[in-house]
């Protein structure tokens, strides 16, 4: 496939969304918050996960060549695919957390390899999507807005007893968590 054909498939046939939705359809094991849970995977599901990772390679391939110029339609199609990608990242946020255990011996280590592998494989895709966003000001602004909305959905509030602090800059203010 030549880069112009890959771009055409993204812009005219919504291939980015199709790949991401197909990938997510194969990762059905989620917790009550919609996060992926690889810890409960059976052997067959783990095998399927390894096979479906090839879709990440397909996603990288179609993102190799940025459009030389953007149209309203190409912006819309890319941003639809970007929304699906953010949905994937949202399902990854907090997946299979490994917490420190004290007081007793752990008989069996929790599964962490699948979550780690998924994150590592998506690192290059994230950089490529950033390049696409940076190539057009309108796409970049819309992408920032969509990212902010997903981040707000992922934020589960403050921990017990934790009080937010208000930070202000250039006439804007935000309540946030103190980071030490």
């Amino acid at each position: 496939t030549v880069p112009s054909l890959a771009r055409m498939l993204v812009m005219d046939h919504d291939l980015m969304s199709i790949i991401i939705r197909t990938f997510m359809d194969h990762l059905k094991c989620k917790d009550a918050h919609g996060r992926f849970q690889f810890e409960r995977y059976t052997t067959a599901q783990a095998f399927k996960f390894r096979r479906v990772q090839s879709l990440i390679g397909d996603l990288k391939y179609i993102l190799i060549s940025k459009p030389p110029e953007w149209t309203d339609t190409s912006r819309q199609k890319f941003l639809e695919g970007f929304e699906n990608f953010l949905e994937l990242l949202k399902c990854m946020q907090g997946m299979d957390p490994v917490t420190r255990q004290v007081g007793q011996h752990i008989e069996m280590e929790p599964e962490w390899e699948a979550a780690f592998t998924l994150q590592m494989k998506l690192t290059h895709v994230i950089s490529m999507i950033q390049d696409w966003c940076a190539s057009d000001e309108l796409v970049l602004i819309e992408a920032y807005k969509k990212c902010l909305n997903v981040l707000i959905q992922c934020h589960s509030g403050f921990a017990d007893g934790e009080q937010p602090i208000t930070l202000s800059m250039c006439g804007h203010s935000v309540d946030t968590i103190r980071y030490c």
Side-chain angles (χ1 to χ4, degrees):
T1 312
V2 293
S4 59
L5 181 58
R7 262 195 320 271
M8 185 268 303
L9 291 170
V10 171
M11 300 306 174
D12 296 343
H13 299 284
D14 209 13
L15 185 60
M16 188 173 163
S17 292
I18 291 168
I19 291 172
I20 295 167
R21 282 193 307 256
T22 302
F23 184 78
M24 289 181 63
D25 286 347
H26 283 77
L27 303 178
K28 294 183 190 260
C29 209
K30 296 181 184 175
D31 67 7
H33 302 288
R35 297 178 295 218
F36 294 136
Q37 280 192 310
F38 296 113
E39 190 172 307
R40 292 181 172 78
Y41 263 28
T42 64
T43 307
Q45 288 171 314
F47 177 74
K48 191 175 185 182
F49 172 66
R50 283 192 295 277
R51 297 239 1 214
V52 80
Q53 288 179 34
S54 65
L55 288 171
I56 296 172
D58 295 342
L59 192 55
K60 281 196 287 193
Y61 186 78
I62 64 165
L63 292 171
I64 285 174
S65 180
K66 295 180 294 228
E69 59 183 57
W70 289 87
T71 63
D72 289 339
T73 306
S74 62
R75 286 182 186 102
Q76 176 190 357
K77 289 293 183 184
F78 173 74
L79 289 169
E80 286 173 10
F82 182 70
E83 278 184 66
N84 284 297
F85 187 72
L86 289 175
E87 207 48 46
L88 170 64
L89 294 179
K90 185 176 158 185
C91 291
M92 290 174 59
Q93 179 67 29
M95 65 180 168
D96 286 339
V98 177
T99 55
R100 182 171 178 235
Q101 299 288 323
V102 291
Q104 67 184 31
H105 177 72
I106 300 175
E107 293 179 24
M108 191 171 186
E109 289 287 325
E111 166 60 40
W112 58 268
E113 188 178 352
F116 179 79
T117 301
L118 178 57
Q119 183 160 344
M120 292 307 296
K121 287 192 177 270
L122 286 176
T123 305
H124 193 64
V125 172
I126 291 170
S127 296
M128 295 172 92
I129 288 175
Q130 287 174 332
D131 287 343
W132 276 56
C133 291
S135 69
D136 184 73
E137 183 180 1
L138 295 175
V139 170
L140 182 65
I141 291 168
E142 283 304 309
Y144 274 130
K145 288 177 184 176
K146 291 177 185 312
C147 282
L148 183 59
N149 286 334
V150 170
L151 283 172
I152 289 169
Q153 292 171 17
C154 288
H155 182 64
S156 60
F158 299 104
D160 292 337
E162 188 174 30
Q163 294 298 316
I165 59 170
T166 303
L167 299 175
S168 298
M169 180 183 282
C170 301
H172 299 278
S173 63
V174 64
D175 288 337
T176 187
I177 302 168
R178 179 177 300 282
Y179 178 78
C180 299

